[in-house]
Amino acid sequence: MVHHRIPLDVLLRRPGLFTAEELNAATKLRGIPVREHSHLHLSVIHRNLWDKFWTNNPHATREHIIAFARSIDEQYDLQNLAYKAFLQP
């Protein structure tokens, strides 16, 4: 499954900070193994982390959003998650 490093709803929440083209660029996408999609992607990342971020930072700047996305990448090793899944038997 494909995960947008910065959720597309940022286009509605903070109009003008990002473009759709920017958010859909290959460098801004992460692979999430199907077996982890429902829990990690939908529950942990979107429903927990990003929802709390938006609640606590309704006027977040571009820099705050990028930093938060980076922290999620690092915390869950999202840049390498799909690759590691293919290495496991």
Side-chain angles (χ1 to χ4, degrees), residues 8-81:
L8 294 176
D9 69 346
V10 74
L11 299 170
L12 298 174
R13 290 178 182 269
R14 300 293 290 132
L17 293 185
F18 298 91
T19 65
E21 293 79 17
E22 179 180 15
L23 298 179
N24 286 308
T27 58
K28 304 288 192 249
L29 303 175
R30 303 292 182 255
I32 304 253
V34 172
R35 68 178 176 266
E36 297 182 43
H37 179 260
S38 180
H39 174 70
L40 178 61
H41 185 220
L42 299 179
S43 291
V44 174
I45 294 174
H46 283 288
R47 289 194 192 106
N48 290 337
L49 298 174
W50 277 107
D51 283 354
K52 287 178 186 172
F53 175 83
W54 291 123
T55 298
N56 295 328
N57 303 282
H59 305 290
T61 65
R62 179 182 170 88
E63 293 75 22
H64 289 129
I65 295 165
I66 291 170
F68 188 69
R70 185 179 309 118
S71 74
I72 293 172
D73 274 359
E74 291 170 359
Q75 183 176 357
Y76 295 97
D77 195 25
L78 294 182
Q79 288 183 286
N80 299 307
L81 189 62

